[in-house]
Each structure stands twice: as C-alpha cells, then as structure tokens.
C-alpha cells in the first residue's frame, strides 16, 4: 500500500477512541438495563441527608382530613420495590443505584405562563409553604399498591405564589438529566428526561401534593428526593420524582410514558378498575409488604374530591 493510502495516525487513534467510546456506551446501557451499573454497587438506603431546616421541620403535623382504609405499608417494603427508570428497570435496584444522585445543591425552577417566575431551593419550601403530613393510598399501573405518610404541601400553594396567567391550561414537570449518574438515561430509545403533566385544574386540586419527605423524614433517594409529585387518584407513573422544573403551558405537552407506550399509558391515567391495561386486569391491587389483595376503587378511592373534574 502506498504511504499516501495509509490512514494517518491521528485518524485511526480517533477511530479507536470512537470505538472504545461506543463500546463503553453500549456496555453502560446494557449494564443499566440489567440494574448492574458500572463500578461497585453502592450501599442500599444510604442515611437520609438532613438540612438544618429539615431537622427542625420533622415530624410535620398530620392533616387529619386524609385517612386510610388499610394499614400503612412498612417503610422497608416501600423503599425496596421502586420504579425509577433513570437508575434501573429492576424494582429491587433503585435502592442501591439511586444513592449516587447528589441532591444538594438542588433547584426547582417554576416558569412559563406565570407572572412571578421563581427558582426554589428545596429548603425554601419549608419557609414558604404550608408543610404537613398526609396519609395517601398509592396505586401503580402495574397493580401493586401502598399506603404511606407523605410530608409536603399542596401544589396549589406553590402555584398561587407564582401566579399562573389566565392562558395557562397545563403544567409540565421535568426530572433531572444526568446520564453519567443515572445510567438508565443512557437508554437512547427513551425520551429522557422523564416528564409528566397535569391540567391546571388537576394541579390545583386539593389532593395534588408536592412531597419532600415520607415516613417522618426527608425522601429517600429511591423515592425521588429531594422533591417529587404525588397525585393519589392517578396511576403512580404520573407522580414524577426528583423534579427540577415546573412549567405552565397553554397546551397539553408530551409526557414520558405516554410517548413510550401511548396505548398502555394514557395522558389522563386516572385509576379505573373497569378499564383493564392491555396486558392485565386493573380490578384488584396487591399491597407491598403484606401481599394483601384489595379491590381497586374508582379514582383510587378519591372519587369525592376529583370526579367533578371529569364531568
Ligand atoms: N419518576 C421518575 N423520574 N422516573 C421514574 O421511573 N416512575 C414512576 C413514578 N415516578 C418514575 C417516576 C412510577 S411508574 C411509579 S409507580 C412511581 O414513581 C413509583 O414511586 P415509588 O418508587 O416511590 O414507589
């Protein structure tokens, strides 16, 4: 071969780097899918991280209006069976790999069609919002359920502070995007970052809750520390974890699961025992920890508070 036809060293070195990089990305993707991650497996359930204001604020006063028809789920059971696809597709895994997420500093930007856009540090919420504890039922679209004490505040209180404009019809929420920490986000076929959305009427309903804590302490990372949503009459995938942005819009946005599998995960996603998932029945649910089976209730038992939104 003539010297002129030979590949210059700089080019083949670049190619080598490219191939090495591609192989690493493939390995990382495969590893994350199997819940392995790269490097040593972190310890599960790292101690909860407390800020000074959190130390003073827990336990928050329980709001007696929200009662349960079943026993609270044991914390261990809730904390070891999680959906957090940023870290793994295996439910037993986020309790290990989510511990690598740095949750301080953290900001939540509230923006879009509001008169007073503002960026909050999670500690600001303890100073500015009516933080309380509520006992809610929680129903995953996969037919498992739990009953847990959340600490947080109604989303409406936050919206009142930023003053939505009259053209706002929807509210979109976004999770962090950190593919080198959350290796599930290397799965390029999924529409990262995770997003969810509600209509403005749903967002302003008294039940729609921003959770900062659970079981009397700040959220564990596998549950979506430091700030997540809880919408108890909707399937669990609407309750987006580790929120970094809340945006008010004048249209219905695309959302993560509704984009991935629109025929299985509707935008509305209200709990409805009469409408089966294409692959399983939604008539009953199995409680985490005890395995007790309950009949699933319309709107997960919150019909009185929300049925009027859908008439
Ligand atoms: N939020 C993000 N960012 N990523 C996720 O994978 N999974 C959702 C929801 N919020 C998810 C998420 C689903 S499918 C469920 S059922 C609940 O989180 C599970 O919450 P838990 O693990 O705290 O029980």
């Amino acid at each position: 071969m003539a010297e002129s036809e030979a590949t210059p060293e700089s080019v083949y070195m670049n190619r080598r780097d490219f191939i090495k990089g591609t192989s690493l990305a493939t390995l990382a993707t495969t590893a994350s899918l199997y819940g392995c991650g790269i490097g040593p497996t972190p310890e599960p359930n790292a101690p909860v991280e407390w800020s000074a204001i959190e130390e003073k604020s827990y336990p928050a006063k329980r709001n007696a209006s929200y009662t349960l028809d079943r026993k609270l789920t044991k914390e261990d059971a809730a904390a070891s069976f999680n959906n957090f696809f940023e870290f793994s597709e295996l439910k037993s895994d986020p309790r290990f790999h989510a511990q690598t997420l740095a949750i301080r500093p953290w900001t939540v930007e509230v923006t879009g069609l509001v008169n007073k856009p503002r960026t909050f540090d999670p500690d600001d919420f303890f100073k500015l919002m009516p933080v309380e504890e509520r006992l809610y039922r929680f129903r995953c679209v996969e037919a498992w359920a739990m009953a847990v004490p959340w600490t947080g505040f109604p989303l409406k209180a936050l919206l009142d502070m930023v003053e939505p404009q009259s053209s706002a019809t929807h509210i979109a929420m976004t999770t962090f995007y950190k593919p080198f920490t959350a290796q599930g986000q290397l799965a390029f076929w999924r529409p990262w970052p995770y997003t969810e959305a509600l209509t403005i009427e749903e967002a302003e309903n008294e039940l729609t809750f921003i959770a900062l804590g659970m079981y009397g302490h700040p959220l564990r990372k596998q549950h979506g520390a430091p700030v997540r949503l809880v919408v108890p009459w909707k399937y669990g995938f609407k309750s987006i974890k580790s929120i970094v942005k809340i945006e008010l819009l004048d249209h219905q946005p695309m959302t993560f699961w509704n984009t991935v599998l629109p025929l299985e995960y509707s935008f509305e996603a209200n709990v409805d025992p009469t409408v089966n998932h294409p692959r399983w029945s939604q008539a009953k649910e199995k409680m985490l920890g005890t395995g007790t089976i309950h009949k699933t209730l319309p709107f997960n038992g919150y019909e009185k508070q929300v049925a009027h939104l859908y008439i």
Side-chain angles (χ1 to χ4, degrees), residues 57-102:
S57 309
Y58 284 92
K61 193 172 177 326
R62 185 172 291 177
N63 184 332
S65 317
Y66 302 97
T67 54
L68 292 173
D69 58 348
R70 57 196 72 178
K71 282 195 189 134
L72 280 178
T73 300
K74 289 230 161 66
E75 181 173 0
D76 269 5
S80 44
F81 190 87
N82 301 99
N83 276 330
F84 207 165
F85 283 73
E86 284 83 344
F87 292 98
S88 176
E89 301 209 356
L90 301 181
K91 295 177 203 313
S92 55
D93 196 68
R95 80 186 140 130
F96 296 97
H97 285 101
Q99 309 309 326
T100 56
L101 180 68

Side-chain angles (χ1 to χ4, degrees), residues 86 174 177 184-185 187-195 254-261:
E86 284 83 344
T174 308
Y177 181 63
Q185 291 182 330
F188 55 83
W189 55 91
R190 298 217 189 270
W192 305 109
Y194 196 102
T195 50
M254 302 293 286
T255 54
F256 186 86
W257 284 115
N258 190 234
T259 304
V260 172
L261 284 168

Side-chain angles (χ1 to χ4, degrees), residues 264-282:
E264 301 198 1
Y265 307 114
S266 69
F267 177 85
E268 197 169 77
N270 291 332
V271 176
D272 185 345
T274 66
V275 177
N276 289 337
H277 183 278
R279 291 182 279 136
W280 58 82
S281 163
Q282 294 292 27

Side-chain angles (χ1 to χ4, degrees), residues 78 81-86 88 138-142 144 146 150 175-176 192 194 214 222-224 228 235-242 256-257 288:
F81 190 87
N82 301 99
N83 276 330
F84 207 165
F85 283 73
E86 284 83 344
S88 176
F138 184 98
R139 170 60 155 84
C140 177
V141 72
E142 296 160 337
W144 56 265
M146 57 183 184
W150 300 103
T175 295
F176 64 84
W192 305 109
Y194 196 102
M214 206 176 171
Q222 62 266 46
H223 286 297
R228 74 173 289 172
Y235 290 121
F237 67 86
K238 298 294 286 186
S239 291
I240 180 174
K241 297 177 172 182
S242 305
F256 186 86
W257 284 115
L288 292 188

Side-chain angles (χ1 to χ4, degrees), residues 205-220:
N205 184 271
E206 56 156 302
L207 290 175
T208 307
F209 203 59
I210 294 287
L212 307 166
M214 206 176 171
Y215 293 98
H217 56 68
L219 287 171
R220 289 189 183 282

